[in-house]
Amino acid sequence: MTVTRREALGLAVGGAAALTTLRFTAPAFAAGNAVEDAILEFTGGATPGSGDITIGAPEIAENGNTVPIEVSAPGAASIMLLAAGNPSPGVATFHFSALSGAQEAKTRIRLAKTQDIIAVAKMQDGSAITTKRSVKVTIGGCGG
Amino acid sequence: MTIKTLISHPMESGQRKDKKTGEAIPRKIINKFAATFNGEPVFMANIEPSVSANPYIEFQMRVPESGSVRFEWTDDDGSVYDLEKKITVA
């Protein structure tokens, strides 16, 4: 089989384009799956609905190394926090008990870039609810 | 009542690279925090590398009677750092 110069060029360009697309979509897809997988693992396969769950976070975080976050879900047995844009989305999971004064917690987290913070609460009745909140990050917190 | 906890720890995420050698610095974080009151569980947190260095955790606790509250932080290397505080209900 003979390949003309024109065909060879076309093939090369097509190949490069395909590679570029792969490179750009693959990590985004993987991250999306990681978030979804983490949520489904936490809820035991149920897709969480909406409900009384709130995330408190600054709209703009100047320093991604330490961003104050609070989460509250009255009636929750546990709450999982995810940072969808971090190299690994898991942040923390809080578990409450009868001696907990309220189903809420505050902590400080790292954010690599501007992204959505996702909270999922597993309620005492077994249902699950979720919410998310976008945080703009000026200087990312995973460098070095 | 509100309990605020802070422990001094680098929370090495495992994502950073040594600037001289280019090798990844191994992960070493506090991966679990637990609070108990007179032996009963109050609050527990599973922690990932996305939590900041010197992890700060704040939560709400009911104190039905006088007793002691115990905090335990578990490190990736298996060490447990603990602290116990007495609470007197007047």
Side-chain angles (χ1 to χ4, degrees):
Chain A
M1 173 183 153
T2 54
V3 178
T4 66
R5 187 168 173 271
R6 191 178 294 262
E7 278 167 358
L9 270 175
L11 273 176
V13 170
L19 270 181
T20 321
T21 332
L22 269 181
R23 196 167 300 152
F24 278 109
T25 53
F29 195 59
N33 273 350
V35 169
E36 240 168 68
D37 288 352
I39 293 174
L40 291 180
E41 193 187 328
F42 178 68
T43 62
T47 305
S50 59
D52 189 7
I53 176 169
T54 50
I55 301 174
E59 203 165 304
I60 298 174
E62 307 223 329
N63 179 1
N65 273 311
T66 172
V67 183
I69 296 282
E70 54 180 285
V71 64
S72 167
S78 44
I79 304 177
M80 178 176 69
L81 264 183
L82 298 171
N86 273 5
S88 150
V91 175
T93 307
F94 305 113
H95 305 275
F96 306 101
S97 73
L99 282 175
S100 298
Q103 286 75 41
E104 60 182 59
K106 293 185 195 180
T107 187
R108 295 173 189 154
I109 71 172
R110 293 170 170 145
L111 293 176
K113 57 182 184 191
T114 296
Q115 58 180 285
D116 280 342
I117 309 298
I118 300 163
V120 184
K122 212 155 47 176
M123 309 307 284
Q124 282 152 7
D125 66 9
S127 65
I129 55 175
T130 185
T131 187
K132 66 180 177 181
R133 187 178 170 123
S134 163
V135 179
K136 288 193 177 70
V137 176
T138 315
I139 303 168
C142 292
Chain B
M1 61 187 281
T2 302
I3 309 278
K4 300 180 180 184
T5 70
L6 184 69
I7 183 168
S8 179
H9 194 281
M11 294 293 279
E12 195 57 65
S13 67
Q15 301 282 346
R16 294 197 315 144
K17 286 195 170 122
D18 187 309
K19 282 193 176 112
K20 281 183 194 138
T21 66
E23 282 175 37
I25 303 170
R27 169 184 144 155
K28 186 178 187 291
I29 68 163
I30 298 283
N31 58 50
K32 190 177 159 187
F33 167 79
T36 51
F37 182 71
N38 292 344
E40 293 289 315
V42 175
F43 177 85
M44 207 266 273
N46 298 106
I47 300 172
E48 305 282 344
S50 287
V51 170
S52 302
N54 305 328
Y56 170 83
I57 296 173
E58 183 182 324
F59 60 95
Q60 304 290 328
M61 175 179 163
R62 291 198 309 116
V63 185
E65 61 199 4
S66 296
S68 68
V69 57
R70 182 181 175 83
F71 308 106
E72 285 186 359
W73 292 264
T74 309
D75 196 298
D76 270 351
D77 67 11
S79 336
V80 176
Y81 316 111
D82 58 15
L83 179 74
E84 200 155 331
K85 287 270 176 196
K86 281 207 178 349
I87 299 176
T88 308
V89 177

